[in-house]
């Protein structure tokens, strides 16, 4: 069964909230890809919709939206998520995880896409400003 940490970003206030998700709530995310929207009830935001923006596995390998599936893959990168080149034209083969949420996902990053009636601060409590 999947269990991971979900970091919820509130674009309006710039605040982030960390929630541990497991069981049925975690299963709402499994099989979804970066860019898809999920019911916010899975992270305690009833009436809200959240959009998956990224994540990583237990070894810290990032998810990339341009790599299909939930598995590891070695890709040649010239920048972007997972690799920052130090000079122009530099490329590197990097192991990244696909853009689909799977059992190996340890952290999932989401942002609020559609707001509900209640205030975010009331539903999620104190946030960790980053």
């Amino acid at each position: 069964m999947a269990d991971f940490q979900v970091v919820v970003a509130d674009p309006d206030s710039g605040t982030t909230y960390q929630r541990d998700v497991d069981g049925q709530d975690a299963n709402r995310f499994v099989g979804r890809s970066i860019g898809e929207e999920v019911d916010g009830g899975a992270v305690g935001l009833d009436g809200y919709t959240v959009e998956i923006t990224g994540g990583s596995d237990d070894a810290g390998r990032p998810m990339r939206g341009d790599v299909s599936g939930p598995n590891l893959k070695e890709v040649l990168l010239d920048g972007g998520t997972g690799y920052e080149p130090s000079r122009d034209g530099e490329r590197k083969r990097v192991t990244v995880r696909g853009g689909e949420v799977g059992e190996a996902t340890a952290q999932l990053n989401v942002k609020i896409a559609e707001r509900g009636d209640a205030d975010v601060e009331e539903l999620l409590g104190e946030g960790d400003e980053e």
Side-chain angles (χ1 to χ4, degrees), residues 108-126:
L108 195 61
N109 303 325
V110 300
K111 71 176 182 180
I112 296 173
E114 294 178 18
R115 298 193 165 275
D117 296 332
D119 184 37
V120 178
E121 186 67 30
E122 293 174 9
L123 294 172
L124 295 180
E126 291 297 315

Side-chain angles (χ1 to χ4, degrees), residues 2-71:
D3 64 323
F4 39 80
Q5 186 173 47
V6 178
V7 179
V8 181
D10 184 359
D12 291 349
S13 68
T15 307
T16 59
Y17 305 90
Q18 296 183 4
R19 307 286 289 188
D20 289 322
V21 177
D22 59 359
Q24 186 62 34
D25 290 334
N27 288 338
R28 292 186 193 179
F29 291 102
V30 174
R32 302 291 182 106
S33 297
I34 292 176
E36 289 190 41
E37 294 185 352
V38 181
D39 178 38
V43 291
L45 289 171
D46 295 324
Y48 282 68
T49 302
V50 294
E51 179 185 343
I52 300 172
T53 58
S56 61
D57 63 8
D58 55 354
R61 292 179 289 250
M63 294 171 64
R64 280 187 63 104
D66 56 353
V67 177
S68 63
N71 299 324

